[in-house]
Amino acid sequence: MRSTISGIIGLSFSFSVGVLLLSLGCALYHNWWPAFVVLFYILAPIPYGLARRYSETSYSGSNCGLEVALFLTSVLVISAYGFVLVLAHHQTIARGALWLLIGADTVMFSTILAYFIVFNDDDDFSY
């Protein structure tokens, strides 16, 4: 129980740091276009979460559904970084905002990864 509470506290702290970096990247440079990256934060864990929930637990060989979900998750993560880089390339956002948003992406996706590591549901009970 203690490790679960410390995991929740750590995840909430890293999530708040990511939101702070995103807010600073938008507010300091008076441009709210990068806030659309929140859609990637919401969509990124969905394929892996669904595949982990509905996949067979066969340890021999590969699981096609899980691998497709990992591919879709990685596409969404790379797209979040790409969206920010394209905005900077077209000079929609400043270079300082670019670095703040890359930091926000890194912290937020690390938080999502840590969530799946901390709350791994490998128990024997299932429906």
Side-chain angles (χ1 to χ4, degrees):
M1 169 124 168
R2 183 170 170 85
S3 65
T4 305
I5 291 174
S6 64
I8 291 172
I9 291 170
L11 288 173
S12 63
F13 177 73
S14 64
F15 177 78
S16 64
V17 168
V19 170
L20 174 70
L21 289 173
L22 177 66
S23 300
L24 286 175
C26 293
L28 289 178
Y29 297 96
H30 306 291
N31 190 349
W32 291 94
W33 281 106
F36 283 110
V37 82
V38 172
L39 294 174
F40 293 107
Y41 298 157
I42 294 169
L43 294 176
I46 291 175
Y48 181 68
L50 288 175
R52 206 173 79 171
R53 173 78 170 113
Y54 295 111
S55 68
E56 298 287 327
T57 56
S58 62
Y59 295 107
S60 61
S62 65
N63 187 348
C64 181
L66 188 61
E67 290 181 8
V68 169
L70 287 172
F71 175 75
L72 291 175
T73 300
S74 63
V75 165
L76 289 168
V77 169
I78 302 264
S79 296
Y81 284 102
F83 177 69
V84 173
L85 290 171
V86 167
L87 287 176
H89 178 73
H90 289 283
Q91 297 176 350
T92 305
I93 61 172
R95 294 285 178 201
L98 170 70
W99 293 112
L100 284 169
L101 294 167
I102 286 177
D105 284 349
T106 303
V107 170
M108 292 298 282
F109 289 127
S110 298
T111 303
I112 292 169
L113 176 67
Y115 171 79
F116 284 116
I117 291 172
V118 169
F119 296 106
N120 192 4
D121 294 328
D122 285 342
D123 57 354
D124 294 332
F125 180 75
S126 64
Y127 295 107

